[in-house]
Amino acid sequence: DTEVTQTPKHLVMGMTNKKSLKCEQHMGHRAMYWYKQKAKKPPELMFVYSYEKLSINESVPSRFSPECPNSSLLNLHLHALQPEDSALYLCASSLGPNTGELFFGEGSRLTVL
Amino acid sequence: KNEVEQSPQNLTAQEGEFITINCSYSVGISALHWLQQHPGGGIVSLFMLSSGKKKHGRLIATINIQEKHSSLHITASHPRDSAVYICAARRPNTGNQFYFGTGTSLTVIP
């Protein structure tokens, strides 16, 4: 199994809603990442989890809250988002925090109304 | 100035043509990755290079560490190769943080 699975694929939410994006991998990878990608731009790193601990937070607003319940799962909780947060949210994993290829999911396309 | 520069930004080719995409970087790196992104989102890692050359099917990637330059070649291009190709330079000892190029949008016409 060399897949990173993200759900949902599409999400539309209002600015007062609370929703979550989910990411799962079963490759035994110990580093997992959330990226945000706007149209025609490269991905921007948001968070890195290393051995289930948050190791990097790239000054992301608190309306985005990551969670790593176990080594296979990564969530991104969303609350009180703004329309400018609409983007493709990509999850990725790698064998370790400084090694290995990045394996990406298909992404969750978020629209905030 | 971006730490990673890609060229060209856009590329249109006829099916069967040999394609080259270039990536130059100005910082120290621990590895150079080539990524492919199709319309609609998902990113696939094509190569991870720290030296020399790698080949996978019709794709070849090379890196020259001294010149801080990498190339991605596609032989016998096909319409299914149409995608955005992104060069990503892994920053040493930063927990797998990357400098990303701005991508090359490739369209292969039948």
Side-chain angles (χ1 to χ4, degrees), chain A residues 50-69:
Chain A
S50 176
Y51 296 91
E52 293 112 75
K53 289 189 174 11
L54 182 65
S55 59
I56 295 172
N57 176 341
E58 289 286 356
S59 303
V60 179
S62 60
R63 57 186 185 268
F64 295 92
S65 174
E67 179 197 18
C68 189

Side-chain angles (χ1 to χ4, degrees), chain A residues 2-86:
Chain A
T2 57
E3 278 192 352
V4 175
T5 304
Q6 287 188 244
T7 55
K9 290 196 181 346
H10 299 275
L11 178 62
V12 179
M13 60 186 290
M15 288 191 283
T16 58
N17 292 158
K18 282 186 184 181
K19 297 284 185 185
S20 297
L21 305 180
K22 295 183 184 305
C23 175
E24 191 168 1
Q25 57 86 17
H26 296 286
M27 295 178 278
H29 288 179
R30 303 312 300 271
M32 295 185 76
Y33 313 79
W34 280 114
Y35 286 89
K36 173 182 176 180
Q37 188 180 28
K38 300 284 255 184
K40 299 191 187 301
K41 299 285 187 186
E44 297 172 29
L45 183 65
M46 299 175 72
F47 302 104
V48 181
Y49 272 83
S50 176
Y51 296 91
E52 293 112 75
K53 289 189 174 11
L54 182 65
S55 59
I56 295 172
N57 176 341
E58 289 286 356
S59 303
V60 179
S62 60
R63 57 186 185 268
F64 295 92
S65 174
E67 179 197 18
C68 189
N70 60 55
S71 61
S72 299
L73 293 175
L74 186 64
N75 298 321
L76 186 62
H77 302 298
L78 314 171
H79 175 52
L81 295 193
Q82 304 296 311
E84 60 264 28
D85 297 321
S86 299

